[in-house]
Amino acid sequence: MVNDTMNTTYAVVFGSVMALGLPLNAVSLWILLRCHSIKSPSAVFMVNLAISDLLLVISLPMRIYFYATSSWPLSNMACIWITMLFRNNIRSSSIFITFISVDRLLAVVYPLRSRHLRISSNAWKAAALIWLFVLVVNIPESVYFSKFLNNNTEHSCFEFKERRKSYMSYFQSVLVLTMLAVNIVCTALVSWTLHRHLNDSAKVKNKVNVMLIFVTNLMMFTIFFLPLSLLIFFETWKTSPTPLICLASVNCCLDPLLYYFSFDGFWKRKEDVDTSLARE
């Protein structure tokens, strides 16, 4: 009875995330592509972040079905692929968010020296490498997970038990902690720069929005990514990770806040944004 109640709760949470995340990220992606020239590194990383969130949303219908019916109608491989889509979101999102923080750090602290680095072509190359890295990691992890799924995944998909901790558990935790540390350093340096050069910092448009970007990034890590990553690191799935998986999935609904804080006039027409980017 308790399991039925919990499964229903999980289905409701995932359903709510899908209902909010799909339109928010689809509209955000449309605005980023239509109204903003993809000439700044931050815009490039935000487009890829929105794509990552949409891939997460795509994986949710089958999770909803599994927890609503307590059954899995598809194959083991389908279960693994959908699990990978979710894990890929945490990894790719944490990296893209960190790259956004680093880009903002360079723009505020080293605006002149970083101009040759902060170009869209470099950002697209970095994004391609991130996706390649994420996909390569899926190969050994998929093989590992396949060992712990029962031949009949009807009641075990998303709730299978690992008998021992894998190196991938350490990898995800180390990745998230490393990205969090980079975000903390970026936040501290930007805050120090704006405080130290108070008069000069008036040249930085919307200083409050600049810091809100970093605060939002840190919130994403500490609330959504870190708890699940620490549980995976310290536990061998003895404690069900599903509640924290639900929590982690909510990040895709809040990423549009990052887009809003990152651009002056998020709803501006493309030609207006091109002018502001040219001045940056």
Side-chain angles (χ1 to χ4, degrees), residues 20 23 63 72 76 87 127 130 142 146 152 184 229 233 243 262:
L20 289 174
R63 281 186 178 267
W72 179 253
N76 284 14
R87 289 203 164 198
I130 292 169
S142 298
S146 66
N152 182 0
I184 291 173
S229 298
F233 183 84
S262 298

Side-chain angles (χ1 to χ4, degrees), residues 182-216:
V182 173
N183 276 273
I184 291 173
V185 171
C186 290
T187 303
L189 287 175
V190 169
S191 177
W192 178 76
T193 300
L194 293 178
H195 178 73
R196 182 184 180 187
H197 304 288
L198 189 60
N199 293 329
D200 295 337
S201 66
K203 300 176 183 178
V204 180
K205 295 181 180 180
N206 295 330
K207 291 180 288 183
V208 173
N209 279 9
V210 170
M211 291 311 302
L212 282 175
I213 296 171
F214 291 95
V215 171
T216 302

